[in-house]
Amino acid sequence: MSGFLTLGKLPNFKVKRMKGDRVTFVLLGGTGDLARKKLLPSLFNLYKKGKLDEFDLIGTSREDLSDEEYIGEVSTALEEGREWEKFRENIRYLQLDFYNSEDYGKLRSHFLECGDHRLFYLATLPDHFDVITDNLNKRDLVNDSSKVLYEKPFGDDLQTARNLNQCVSELFPEEKIYRIDHYLDKELVGDLSILRFSNSIVEPLLTSNSVNHVQIIASEDFGVKDRGEFYDRYGAVKDFFQSHLLQLLSLVGMSRPKKLDARSIRDKKVEVLKEVKILDSMTGQYRGYRGEKGVKDDSKTETLVAVKAHLDNRRWNGVPFYLLSGKNLARKYSEIYVEFERPDAGYPAEVGNLVPNSLVVSIQPDQGIYFEINTKVPGKMSTEPAKMQFCHSCHHGPNTPSAYENLLAQAIAGDQRSFVRYDEIEEQWKVVSRLNPSEPVTYRRGKVPSELKKFITEGSWHGLEG
Ligand SMILES: NC(=O)c1ccc[n+]([C@@H]2O[C@H](COP(=O)([O-])OP(=O)(O)OC[C@H]3O[C@@H](n4cnc5c(N)ncnc54)[C@H](OP(=O)(O)O)[C@@H]3O)[C@@H](O)[C@H]2O)c1
């Protein structure tokens, strides 16, 4: 199968391994939220599906835990199945402070019993990434078969991202570095380039000749939960806009690469990111945010960001792209909505209002793709909108692999196509540095602030009630 077809997912993959190649996962931040909610369940799923037979898992944190206590913690994060008893035999715990170089030495003795294929997953705040990288290198833990996985955000801003990248790339070659944006491993994001480049009816439509505007939305119906301290440092711009929204924008906006391989696609994405011209932006903060645990009393951190941008190229000449991410809105969903120019069919008034055609890629929780068209109501000379729909979960069932399952499997297989290259990250931070939003407006939970309604001058936010 070509690189193109598997971008963002590995259909029916079996993790590629050499004989006797036992994988060792070192989960640096093995007690954190991400580990509990995503990484441990994903590893267990891979194991249950028979895609990971031989492995060791070493979880680390500063807590003083025995192996048994850690295994107990892991079990609470998983839906135990009959495979649990075998899975648990491979789990170890190591108390390790990122800033104590001696602690890394203890990993060496653990490695004596493990295979050489090591995956170091930095499941912790980016503040610690450089010191961890440095210590892994000093202690000579990253061997030829190792990979180092960096969670997002990669840096706090353009300068810190550059510093971090300099540190990382001085110590490790690019083929060992895996920068994560888990959105790229969502099934429907993986489908985007297939939808565009393998369907000759779709690609010609996606230009300024036919498109009125594009919306890219990642809306959540909950607040910061127990991640207030983390969130208050980053906010919607750094947590979502800088990574997920700009990655989606680059996948929608890029022109067709000459070759449909990972390198050419990334090159095209970088081109688009360089062309992003910010026209307007606004931010919001939900009422009650300052009372959340871990949030400062006088916090000005935004929990919502909306951006209007153009892509400075001929293909998208003058087409507005609206990007929105927000917490505590009415619905939890992520989608790409492409609205085509309004039809001017010249029908008599009784036909009623024709809707503009649209193409929608639903990323979550619904997964699918549909076109909205105008159709005739039987027996009447009037119209109603109808969906021409591909429902992904109806077709493939609900148990397609999660984004983190996909990305862990790809990292094990040494497949970097769904990981982010540094120049993409650099351009993403440059876009962020061009944003100049005013102070956040306050909005009520579950409500769309009037400023956000007015922000979009072409129609309204698709699917966002409240
Ligand atoms: N949580 C999510 O849903 C989510 C989603 C997408 C991406 N991410 C990204 O994933 C990363 C981790 O997020 P998270 O929410 O899991 O954070 P978290 O809950 O705060 O977990 C951080 C982990 O790092 C450990 N740690 C912190 N300081 C340490 C130190 N000095 N030495 C050793 N261990 C230390 C913590 O254990 P101790 O404090 O006990 O030592 C804990 O295990 C972040 O980059 C975040 O952006 C998270």
Side-chain angles (χ1 to χ4, degrees):
M1 189 162 282
S2 76
F4 160 54
L5 282 176
T6 55
L7 179 81
K9 62 177 185 176
L10 285 178
N12 207 15
F13 60 83
K14 175 88 184 169
V15 173
K16 191 174 66 185
R17 282 206 305 274
M18 285 167 287
K19 198 160 176 273
D21 185 8
R22 193 177 169 93
V23 189
T24 307
F25 293 96
V26 183
L27 213 45
L28 295 149
T31 56
D33 191 64
L34 180 75
R36 274 184 282 114
K37 282 202 313 226
K38 304 286 184 194
L39 302 177
L40 294 165
S42 297
L43 279 175
F44 191 40
N45 277 345
L46 286 175
Y47 184 76
K48 284 194 286 194
K49 290 175 183 171
K51 290 171 176 164
L52 176 70
D53 341 300
E54 294 184 21
F55 77 100
D56 293 283
L57 168 63
I58 305 170
T60 81
S61 84
R62 286 170 296 186
E63 266 183 83
D64 183 10
L65 297 175
S66 65
D67 286 347
E68 274 310 309
E69 284 167 324
Y70 184 61
I71 291 168
E73 284 201 10
V74 175
S75 78
T76 61
L78 307 180
E79 277 176 36
E80 289 187 21
R82 59 191 165 77
E83 299 85 352
W84 165 247
E85 288 306 321
K86 291 250 15 120
F87 184 80
R88 58 170 283 157
E89 285 172 13
N90 304 313
I91 304 175
R92 306 280 176 274
Y93 178 77
L94 176 67
Q95 186 178 16
L96 179 150
D97 186 328
F98 298 147
Y99 294 82
N100 184 351
S101 165
E102 301 294 309
D103 286 352
Y104 293 80
K106 292 187 257 169
L107 270 172
R108 280 212 153 276
S109 45
H110 277 66
F111 286 160
L112 292 176
E113 295 163 22
C114 302
D116 274 347
H117 186 174
R118 298 169 195 159
L119 257 77
F120 297 92
Y121 198 119
L122 279 61
T124 191
L125 288 186
D127 299 6
H128 309 306
F129 287 177
D130 51 358
V131 82
I132 298 173
T133 306
D134 196 39
N135 276 312
L136 292 177
N137 180 60
K138 273 196 192 131
R139 290 280 164 174
D140 203 16
L141 297 168
V142 179
N143 61 11
D144 283 351
S145 334
S146 299
K147 290 133 186 174
V148 189
L149 281 70
Y150 294 88
E151 253 304 333
K152 61 111 204 157
F154 193 86
D156 262 11
D157 54 23
L158 183 56
Q159 196 50 52
T160 51
R162 277 181 177 157
N163 296 346
L164 174 60
N165 197 57
Q166 195 177 353
C167 155
V168 169
S169 55
E170 269 173 15
L171 301 180
F172 307 134
E174 187 63 23
E175 60 272 18
K176 291 195 193 305
I177 306 171
Y178 290 67
R179 301 177 196 84
I180 291 164
D181 184 330
H182 68 271
Y183 251 60
L184 295 179
D185 276 290
K186 289 188 182 287
E187 289 292 326
L188 266 291
V189 177
D191 261 6
L192 264 180
S193 46
I194 296 177
L195 172 71
R196 289 191 54 192
F197 304 131
S198 70
N199 294 297
S200 51
I201 58 166
V202 176
E203 187 57 2
L205 292 177
L206 298 180
T207 74
S208 60
N209 293 335
S210 332
V211 174
N212 179 281
H213 75 278
V214 178
Q215 299 178 26
I216 299 176
I217 301 174
S219 156
E220 291 174 329
D221 59 358
F222 52 85
V224 292
K225 295 186 174 165
D226 50 0
R227 298 181 72 219
E229 199 179 332
F230 165 84
Y231 195 85
D232 205 39
R233 277 196 49 200
Y234 289 91
V237 171
K238 293 180 178 175
D239 189 40
F240 250 86
F241 174 80
Q242 183 272 338
S243 48
H244 308 324
L245 293 188
L246 288 178
Q247 278 293 324
L248 293 178
L249 173 66
S250 63
L251 285 166
V252 176
M254 73 180 185
S255 53
R256 187 188 171 97
K258 278 207 182 79
K259 285 206 303 197
L260 291 166
D261 57 19
R263 183 181 172 168
S264 314
I265 289 175
R266 284 162 155 189
D267 288 346
K268 285 290 176 192
K269 283 163 68 190
V270 170
E271 243 173 53
V272 176
L273 289 165
K274 286 184 173 162
E275 293 164 348
V276 177
K277 207 171 140 203
I278 305 289
L279 301 179
D280 198 3
S281 61
M282 66 156 285
T283 58
Q285 187 187 77
Y286 64 81
R287 194 168 287 165
Y289 171 73
R290 293 177 186 182
E292 300 273 25
K293 191 170 158 233
V295 172
K296 290 197 203 80
D297 294 345
D298 57 352
S299 173
K300 294 206 162 86
T301 300
E302 74 289 345
T303 58
L304 176 151
V305 57
V307 172
K308 179 178 184 180
H310 274 167
L311 297 180
D312 207 359
N313 59 34
R314 279 182 62 183
R315 179 192 186 94
W316 292 107
N317 183 24
V319 174
F321 282 77
Y322 289 95
L323 284 71
L324 168 66
S325 171
K327 288 198 173 289
N328 262 330
L329 293 170
R331 271 182 69 206
K332 174 175 163 55
Y333 72 112
S334 301
E335 72 171 32
I336 296 163
Y337 169 79
V338 180
E339 185 170 306
F340 296 98
E341 290 296 358
R342 286 194 165 258
D344 179 15
Y347 285 120
E350 63 266 27
V351 169
N353 283 335
L354 298 171
V355 295
N357 297 144
S358 55
L359 167 64
V360 179
V361 179
S362 305
I363 298 166
Q364 64 179 22
D366 300 331
Q367 298 185 340
I369 299 166
Y370 66 85
F371 276 100
E372 193 160 50
I373 57 169
N374 292 293
T375 59
K376 184 178 165 303
V377 178
K380 287 190 196 167
M381 192 49 202
S382 63
T383 61
E384 62 183 3
K387 285 179 182 172
M388 296 167 66
Q389 189 162 20
F390 162 59
C391 164
H392 186 272
S393 47
C394 312
H395 190 68
H396 294 293
N399 293 324
T400 47
S402 72
Y404 277 94
E405 245 177 276
N406 276 337
L407 77 80
L408 284 170
Q410 296 195 31
I412 297 167
D415 182 345
Q416 285 183 306
R417 79 192 75 196
S418 297
F419 294 85
V420 189
R421 212 168 57 187
Y422 177 68
D423 52 353
E424 296 176 69
I425 291 180
E426 165 122 2
E427 291 307 325
Q428 288 167 205
W429 280 121
K430 282 185 190 166
V431 175
V432 169
S433 68
R434 298 200 288 275
L435 282 184
N436 193 12
S438 47
E439 282 213 356
V441 299
T442 306
Y443 62 98
R444 284 190 292 150
R445 290 168 197 239
K447 295 286 169 206
V448 182
S450 58
E451 293 85 347
L452 184 62
K453 285 185 185 160
K454 282 188 226 138
F455 186 81
I456 185 160
T457 45
E458 288 80 6
S460 56
W461 292 101
H462 186 253
L464 193 66
E465 299 90 28

